[in-house]
Short mmCIF file of all heavy atoms in Angstrom, two decimals:
data_model
loop_
_atom_site.label_atom_id
_atom_site.label_comp_id
_atom_site.label_asym_id
_atom_site.label_seq_id
_atom_site.Cartn_x
_atom_site.Cartn_y
_atom_site.Cartn_z
N PHE B 67 -7.74 4.10 47.41
CA PHE B 67 -7.94 3.93 46.03
C PHE B 67 -7.85 2.56 45.53
O PHE B 67 -6.90 1.83 45.84
CB PHE B 67 -6.92 4.89 45.27
CG PHE B 67 -7.16 6.25 45.57
CD1 PHE B 67 -6.16 7.13 45.99
CD2 PHE B 67 -8.41 6.92 45.19
CE1 PHE B 67 -6.36 8.55 46.23
CE2 PHE B 67 -8.52 8.28 45.36
CZ PHE B 67 -7.59 9.00 45.83
N GLU B 68 -8.74 2.13 44.62
CA GLU B 68 -8.53 1.03 43.78
C GLU B 68 -7.52 1.38 42.72
O GLU B 68 -7.15 2.47 42.53
CB GLU B 68 -9.94 0.58 43.19
CG GLU B 68 -10.97 0.26 44.22
CD GLU B 68 -10.62 -0.96 45.06
OE1 GLU B 68 -10.02 -1.92 44.50
OE2 GLU B 68 -10.87 -0.87 46.34
N ALA B 69 -7.26 0.31 41.80
CA ALA B 69 -6.27 0.59 40.73
C ALA B 69 -6.96 1.63 39.82
O ALA B 69 -8.01 1.47 39.37
CB ALA B 69 -6.07 -0.70 39.92
N GLY B 70 -6.17 2.67 39.54
CA GLY B 70 -6.70 3.72 38.62
C GLY B 70 -7.57 4.78 39.32
O GLY B 70 -7.89 5.69 38.80
N GLY B 71 -7.78 4.54 40.64
CA GLY B 71 -8.74 5.43 41.35
C GLY B 71 -8.16 6.69 41.63
O GLY B 71 -8.68 7.76 41.70
N PHE B 72 -6.80 6.74 41.77
CA PHE B 72 -6.11 7.98 42.13
C PHE B 72 -6.16 9.05 40.98
O PHE B 72 -6.55 10.16 41.14
CB PHE B 72 -4.55 7.81 42.40
CG PHE B 72 -3.87 9.06 42.49
CD1 PHE B 72 -3.86 9.63 43.80
CD2 PHE B 72 -3.07 9.58 41.54
CE1 PHE B 72 -3.09 10.90 43.98
CE2 PHE B 72 -2.36 10.85 41.65
CZ PHE B 72 -2.42 11.44 42.85
N ARG B 73 -5.94 8.53 39.74
CA ARG B 73 -6.01 9.34 38.50
C ARG B 73 -7.47 9.90 38.38
O ARG B 73 -7.71 11.15 37.99
CB ARG B 73 -5.63 8.55 37.36
CG ARG B 73 -5.64 9.37 36.07
CD ARG B 73 -5.18 8.57 34.81
NE ARG B 73 -6.33 7.53 34.51
CZ ARG B 73 -6.10 6.58 33.65
NH1 ARG B 73 -5.05 6.51 32.92
NH2 ARG B 73 -7.08 5.70 33.35
N ALA B 74 -8.40 9.00 38.52
CA ALA B 74 -9.88 9.39 38.29
C ALA B 74 -10.11 10.59 39.38
O ALA B 74 -10.76 11.59 39.05
CB ALA B 74 -10.78 8.28 38.48
N TYR B 75 -9.69 10.38 40.63
CA TYR B 75 -10.03 11.40 41.59
C TYR B 75 -9.41 12.68 41.31
O TYR B 75 -9.99 13.76 41.50
CB TYR B 75 -9.68 10.70 42.95
CG TYR B 75 -10.10 11.51 44.28
CD1 TYR B 75 -11.35 11.25 44.81
CD2 TYR B 75 -9.37 12.69 44.64
CE1 TYR B 75 -11.74 12.00 45.94
CE2 TYR B 75 -9.80 13.31 45.73
CZ TYR B 75 -10.96 13.04 46.34
OH TYR B 75 -11.47 13.84 47.40
N LEU B 76 -8.08 12.53 40.99
CA LEU B 76 -7.34 13.78 40.64
C LEU B 76 -7.95 14.62 39.55
O LEU B 76 -8.06 15.79 39.75
CB LEU B 76 -5.85 13.37 40.37
CG LEU B 76 -4.79 14.52 40.12
CD1 LEU B 76 -4.67 15.37 41.37
CD2 LEU B 76 -3.51 13.85 39.71
N TYR B 77 -8.26 13.88 38.45
CA TYR B 77 -8.89 14.58 37.39
C TYR B 77 -10.25 15.27 37.66
O TYR B 77 -10.62 16.35 37.20
CB TYR B 77 -9.02 13.72 36.20
CG TYR B 77 -7.76 13.65 35.32
CD1 TYR B 77 -6.68 12.85 35.61
CD2 TYR B 77 -7.60 14.61 34.20
CE1 TYR B 77 -5.49 12.77 34.74
CE2 TYR B 77 -6.34 14.68 33.48
CZ TYR B 77 -5.34 13.68 33.74
OH TYR B 77 -4.23 13.74 32.92
N THR B 78 -11.00 14.47 38.48
CA THR B 78 -12.26 14.94 38.82
C THR B 78 -12.23 16.17 39.74
O THR B 78 -12.90 17.19 39.54
CB THR B 78 -13.09 13.86 39.56
OG1 THR B 78 -13.22 12.72 38.77
CG2 THR B 78 -14.50 14.37 39.96
N CYS B 79 -11.18 16.20 40.61
CA CYS B 79 -10.89 17.18 41.47
C CYS B 79 -10.48 18.51 40.73
O CYS B 79 -10.96 19.64 40.93
CB CYS B 79 -9.71 16.81 42.44
SG CYS B 79 -9.90 17.29 44.01
N ALA B 80 -9.61 18.32 39.78
CA ALA B 80 -9.11 19.32 38.93
C ALA B 80 -10.22 19.95 38.00
O ALA B 80 -10.38 21.15 38.02
CB ALA B 80 -7.99 18.80 38.00
N LYS B 81 -11.01 19.02 37.56
CA LYS B 81 -12.20 19.60 36.75
C LYS B 81 -13.10 20.32 37.66
O LYS B 81 -13.56 21.45 37.13
CB LYS B 81 -12.96 18.40 36.08
CG LYS B 81 -14.08 18.82 35.26
CD LYS B 81 -15.09 17.74 35.16
CE LYS B 81 -15.86 17.53 36.49
NZ LYS B 81 -16.97 16.60 36.41
N ASN B 82 -13.50 19.91 38.81
CA ASN B 82 -14.44 20.75 39.61
C ASN B 82 -13.79 22.08 40.02
O ASN B 82 -14.51 22.98 40.00
CB ASN B 82 -14.76 19.92 40.89
CG ASN B 82 -15.76 18.60 40.52
OD1 ASN B 82 -16.28 18.72 39.35
ND2 ASN B 82 -15.62 17.62 41.36
N LEU B 83 -12.44 22.03 40.34
CA LEU B 83 -11.86 23.26 40.76
C LEU B 83 -11.78 24.32 39.56
O LEU B 83 -12.05 25.38 39.68
CB LEU B 83 -10.47 22.94 41.28
CG LEU B 83 -10.49 22.41 42.77
CD1 LEU B 83 -9.01 21.78 42.99
CD2 LEU B 83 -10.82 23.28 43.74
N ALA B 84 -11.55 23.77 38.48
CA ALA B 84 -11.43 24.63 37.25
C ALA B 84 -12.82 25.20 36.93
O ALA B 84 -12.93 26.40 36.57
CB ALA B 84 -10.90 23.89 36.04
N ARG B 85 -13.85 24.35 36.98
CA ARG B 85 -15.19 24.92 36.68
C ARG B 85 -15.58 25.93 37.74
O ARG B 85 -16.23 26.95 37.47
CB ARG B 85 -16.09 23.72 36.69
CG ARG B 85 -16.12 22.93 35.38
CD ARG B 85 -17.21 22.00 35.35
NE ARG B 85 -17.30 21.40 34.07
CZ ARG B 85 -18.10 20.49 33.65
NH1 ARG B 85 -18.85 19.90 34.57
NH2 ARG B 85 -18.13 19.87 32.51
N LYS B 86 -15.22 25.72 38.99
CA LYS B 86 -15.52 26.68 40.06
C LYS B 86 -14.85 27.97 39.84
O LYS B 86 -15.45 29.08 40.05
CB LYS B 86 -15.10 25.99 41.30
CG LYS B 86 -15.63 26.70 42.60
CD LYS B 86 -15.09 25.85 43.83
CE LYS B 86 -15.21 26.71 45.10
NZ LYS B 86 -14.69 25.98 46.25
N ARG B 87 -13.64 27.86 39.37
CA ARG B 87 -12.90 29.14 39.18
C ARG B 87 -13.51 29.79 37.91
O ARG B 87 -13.56 31.12 37.91
CB ARG B 87 -11.44 28.76 38.75
CG ARG B 87 -10.55 29.91 38.70
CD ARG B 87 -9.13 29.43 38.73
NE ARG B 87 -8.70 29.07 40.11
CZ ARG B 87 -7.76 29.91 40.78
NH1 ARG B 87 -7.25 30.89 40.24
NH2 ARG B 87 -7.47 29.53 42.06
N LEU B 88 -13.91 29.12 36.92
CA LEU B 88 -14.63 29.65 35.70
C LEU B 88 -15.84 30.37 36.11
O LEU B 88 -16.15 31.40 35.58
CB LEU B 88 -14.78 28.63 34.67
CG LEU B 88 -13.56 28.14 33.85
CD1 LEU B 88 -13.91 27.13 32.90
CD2 LEU B 88 -13.03 29.36 33.05
N LYS B 89 -16.61 29.64 36.92
CA LYS B 89 -17.97 30.36 37.35
C LYS B 89 -17.61 31.66 38.04
O LYS B 89 -18.37 32.54 37.83
CB LYS B 89 -18.65 29.33 38.24
CG LYS B 89 -19.48 28.31 37.49
CD LYS B 89 -20.23 27.41 38.36
CE LYS B 89 -20.98 26.27 37.56
NZ LYS B 89 -21.52 25.38 38.50
N LYS B 90 -16.64 31.45 38.96
CA LYS B 90 -16.35 32.77 39.57
C LYS B 90 -15.98 33.91 38.68
O LYS B 90 -16.22 35.08 38.98
CB LYS B 90 -15.23 32.42 40.62
CG LYS B 90 -14.99 33.44 41.77
CD LYS B 90 -13.92 32.93 42.66
CE LYS B 90 -13.62 33.94 43.74
NZ LYS B 90 -12.53 33.58 44.53
N ALA B 91 -15.37 33.59 37.72
CA ALA B 91 -14.86 34.57 36.68
C ALA B 91 -15.89 34.79 35.65
O ALA B 91 -15.66 35.40 34.67
CB ALA B 91 -13.53 34.13 36.16
N ALA B 92 -17.06 34.16 35.87
CA ALA B 92 -18.06 34.33 34.89
C ALA B 92 -17.63 34.00 33.43
O ALA B 92 -17.93 34.59 32.51
CB ALA B 92 -18.69 35.72 34.92
N ARG B 93 -16.97 32.94 33.32
CA ARG B 93 -16.52 32.49 31.96
C ARG B 93 -16.79 30.89 31.86
O ARG B 93 -16.06 30.24 31.50
CB ARG B 93 -14.96 32.64 31.80
CG ARG B 93 -14.44 34.04 31.66
CD ARG B 93 -12.97 34.09 31.58
NE ARG B 93 -12.37 33.89 32.93
CZ ARG B 93 -11.26 33.17 33.06
NH1 ARG B 93 -10.74 32.68 31.98
NH2 ARG B 93 -10.70 33.10 34.11
N ASP B 94 -18.07 30.65 32.09
CA ASP B 94 -18.46 29.23 32.10
C ASP B 94 -18.92 28.71 30.73
O ASP B 94 -19.68 27.78 30.56
CB ASP B 94 -19.52 29.08 33.07
CG ASP B 94 -20.63 29.95 32.86
OD1 ASP B 94 -20.58 30.82 32.09
OD2 ASP B 94 -21.65 29.82 33.60
N GLU B 95 -18.27 29.25 29.62
CA GLU B 95 -18.68 28.75 28.39
C GLU B 95 -17.82 27.44 28.00
O GLU B 95 -17.96 26.89 26.90
CB GLU B 95 -18.58 29.80 27.30
CG GLU B 95 -17.13 30.08 26.77
CD GLU B 95 -16.39 31.00 27.82
OE1 GLU B 95 -16.97 31.36 28.78
OE2 GLU B 95 -15.18 31.18 27.56
N VAL B 96 -16.92 27.15 28.94
CA VAL B 96 -16.05 25.98 28.63
C VAL B 96 -16.77 24.73 28.38
O VAL B 96 -17.87 24.56 28.96
CB VAL B 96 -14.98 25.89 29.78
CG1 VAL B 96 -15.57 25.26 31.02
CG2 VAL B 96 -13.72 25.05 29.39
N LEU B 97 -16.23 23.81 27.69
CA LEU B 97 -16.67 22.45 27.45
C LEU B 97 -18.06 22.38 26.84
O LEU B 97 -18.89 21.45 27.13
CB LEU B 97 -16.76 21.61 28.77
CG LEU B 97 -15.35 21.44 29.36
CD1 LEU B 97 -15.53 20.71 30.77
CD2 LEU B 97 -14.34 20.79 28.58
N ASP B 98 -18.40 23.44 25.98
CA ASP B 98 -19.71 23.40 25.37
C ASP B 98 -19.71 22.38 24.20
O ASP B 98 -18.69 21.75 23.92
CB ASP B 98 -20.08 24.76 24.80
CG ASP B 98 -18.87 25.33 23.96
OD1 ASP B 98 -17.73 24.84 24.07
OD2 ASP B 98 -19.03 26.19 23.08
N ASP B 99 -20.84 21.96 23.77
CA ASP B 99 -20.91 20.89 22.78
C ASP B 99 -20.19 21.23 21.50
O ASP B 99 -19.70 20.14 20.88
CB ASP B 99 -22.25 20.42 22.72
CG ASP B 99 -22.72 19.57 23.92
OD1 ASP B 99 -21.84 19.18 24.61
OD2 ASP B 99 -24.04 19.53 24.17
N GLU B 100 -20.36 22.35 20.96
CA GLU B 100 -19.86 22.57 19.67
C GLU B 100 -18.45 23.21 19.74
O GLU B 100 -18.43 24.44 20.23
CB GLU B 100 -20.76 23.56 18.97
CG GLU B 100 -22.10 22.89 18.57
CD GLU B 100 -21.94 21.67 17.74
OE1 GLU B 100 -21.09 21.76 16.78
OE2 GLU B 100 -22.66 20.59 18.00
N PRO B 101 -17.38 22.60 19.47
CA PRO B 101 -16.12 23.05 19.55
C PRO B 101 -15.85 24.13 18.60
O PRO B 101 -16.31 24.18 17.32
CB PRO B 101 -15.22 21.95 19.26
CG PRO B 101 -16.03 20.92 18.56
CD PRO B 101 -17.42 21.15 18.95
N SER B 102 -15.23 25.29 18.99
CA SER B 102 -14.97 26.43 18.14
C SER B 102 -13.69 26.08 17.22
O SER B 102 -12.95 25.21 17.53
CB SER B 102 -14.84 27.61 18.84
OG SER B 102 -13.77 27.53 19.91
#
Side-chain angles (χ1 to χ4, degrees):
Chain B
F67 291 121
E68 300 295 319
F72 175 82
R73 183 182 65 186
Y75 191 92
L76 180 62
Y77 272 89
T78 306
C79 221
K81 181 204 69 178
N82 291 339
L83 287 165
R85 282 189 170 172
K86 196 172 161 188
R87 189 166 282 251
L88 281 175
K89 275 184 186 170
K90 197 175 173 186
R93 285 182 284 141
D94 53 353
E95 77 282 356
V96 74
L97 301 179
D98 53 338
D99 282 342
E100 291 303 318
S102 58

